[in-house]
Amino acid sequence: MESILPLDASTEAAVRRLYTRENPRGPSRELWRHAYGCRAWLNIQRDTATHAVLAVDLLDPPA
Amino acid sequence: MMRHSALGLLRGGFEGHKRWPRAWRAPEPRSAYDVIIVGGGGHGLATAYYLAKVHNIRNVAVVEKGWIGGGNVGRNTTIVRSNYRLPESQALLELSLKLWEGLSDELNYNVMFSQRGALMLGHSDADMTKLAERGDALRCNGIDAELLSRAEVGRLIPLLDLSPKARFPVQGGLIQRRGGTARHDAVAWGYARAADALGVDVIQNCEVTGLTVRGARITGVSTTRGDIAAGRVGLCATGGSSRLAAMAGMRLPIECHNLQAFVSEPVKPMIDTVIMSQSIHCYISQSDKGEIVLGGDPDYYPTYAQRGMSMRIEDVAAQAISLVPALSRLRLLRAWAGTTDMSFDGSPIIGPAPVEDLFINAGWCYGGFKATPGSGWLYADLLATGRPHPVIAPFSLGRFEQGATIDEAGVGPMPHHR
């Protein structure tokens, strides 16, 4: 829980963290999971206007 | 504005339809207006009309980055109803429905509002319980609702699969007889024409590139056609809400997703009510042109692309054919999509912004079209008086902070999905 929001956060900080979104029209950072395949977690940069995938990284690359 | 009439139509026909005047002007933006509405969609145009008509505030501009009606007012599945579950939603949509009922006369423009009924099917005991509960809630608030038996549903929709082999057996339904459909483009054009006739400047190809804030107050907008000063500014542009709010240093509880819709080739009348379902997310109606209009689940990921994934075409087709097998013989003519402002409780956000004289109308998720007249009327009231009408007061931006979310889906304060 603390990783999402400290329990003593101000109302303003809590609302900002839990509810507001940048909602970009353009490049956006997203967390994806290859659910039907290797089940790896991926950091993806995707353009929300064109759906072009700009960058892909494994969240936890093998050593 | 030339008043439309049956006689005028007849005369136009004899004249080869060559002498119809412009429906609205194409004015250059002036240097200042009392009110600027950002967004020339259904809600924005309706707001401008009611500002002029109800409040006699005519020094108004609607600025639209593209062409009016190119956004969601032109992309929806035309369904109009007020049979939502929560009292706040019911009050908002019922106010809107009552305006729909006189709209063509009010605007002197045929919006083809057809009160053919809006039926929700129930496929199980649980579905029927939920439908009965919704019906009771509606009746308690003076809104029409009727619980139908399986046989009654079958008489209403003869082509519905009620056979023992039906994929989605039908136990009955809940109908709002005053609900139905309207011709979406006509709504945009009707409001634009009527607002223009009252002196409102409808300015197309005019994109807002900045909001001018001096101190704690908004004083105007910057656009691709110059800077314009304003007494009040009302943001009303689904798909652009976050970007516009950011121009005033604000972040909204909105994420843009996608909703697709489809039409088949036109055929003779075969479905004469609006078919929705308590459990299945496909909905079906037939336009006055004869096309079967289909919709289904949204595409649940952030996007502004206004085109969706092919999986939805399969889902919607499969569900539609399961409900009405005769549809399997039709060809799909068009598929398109609109950008939906998904709010954190599935309900719209209408009210003053934290910046003085700036107002927000956003977050309509996938239920904006039916609210067009009501949203316009109420937003005009807000822009005219500066104070939210009691019907929109619960839909404030501040409700998330207060925990006073209007959670139609009953799933808690999360990006709305069914």
Side-chain angles (χ1 to χ4, degrees), chain B residues 128-316:
Chain B
M128 292 310 297
T129 304
K130 290 231 74 166
L131 289 175
E133 180 205 332
R134 181 189 289 250
D136 284 346
L138 289 162
R139 296 285 290 267
C140 285
N141 286 320
I143 299 172
D144 61 312
E146 222 178 298
L147 205 60
L148 299 180
S149 68
R150 192 165 175 279
E152 287 169 316
V153 169
R155 276 196 291 281
L156 196 55
I157 312 169
L159 292 173
L160 200 61
D161 188 359
L162 294 178
S163 71
K165 293 197 319 184
R167 174 65 184 83
F168 301 117
V170 173
Q171 276 202 21
L174 184 76
I175 189 166
Q176 178 173 39
R177 297 213 187 259
R178 288 165 59 237
T181 59
R183 188 190 172 203
H184 51 352
D185 295 324
V187 176
W189 301 335
Y191 272 120
R193 178 173 166 271
D196 172 90
L198 290 172
V200 170
D201 282 358
V202 176
I203 305 165
Q204 300 177 81
N205 299 307
C206 184
E207 181 172 358
V208 168
T209 53
L211 299 177
T212 312
V213 178
R214 300 248 181 278
R217 203 192 144 248
I218 190 163
T219 57
V221 304
S222 304
T223 77
T224 50
R225 291 173 70 171
D227 292 346
I228 313 173
R232 286 193 170 141
V233 177
L235 303 182
C236 201
T238 290
S241 307
S242 295
R243 191 164 43 140
L244 289 165
M247 293 174 188
M250 289 161 32
R251 270 171 148 222
L252 298 177
I254 285 173
E255 192 170 85
C256 285
H257 291 186
N258 206 43
L259 179 62
Q260 295 185 71
F262 319 92
V263 283
S264 75
E265 55 180 324
V267 291
K268 288 184 187 175
M270 61 185 280
I271 292 170
D272 45 32
T273 189
V274 177
I275 306 170
M276 296 166 291
S277 165
Q278 176 59 35
S279 290
I280 302 157
H281 299 154
C282 167
Y283 41 97
I284 308 166
S285 64
Q286 185 166 21
S287 75
D288 287 354
K289 234 162 76 175
E291 300 154 323
I292 304 297
V293 183
L294 299 166
D297 276 325
D299 290 8
Y300 296 118
Y301 50 83
T303 175
Y304 286 83
Q306 293 179 313
R307 56 185 167 81
M309 51 187 185
S310 51
M311 199 171 100
R312 279 291 170 263
I313 306 179
E314 290 181 41
D315 289 345
V316 170

Side-chain angles (χ1 to χ4, degrees), chain B residues 91-104:
Chain B
L92 177 57
L93 294 177
E94 181 59 20
L95 188 152
S96 191
L97 186 55
K98 290 194 166 77
L99 289 168
W100 276 111
E101 286 174 326
L103 199 59
S104 290

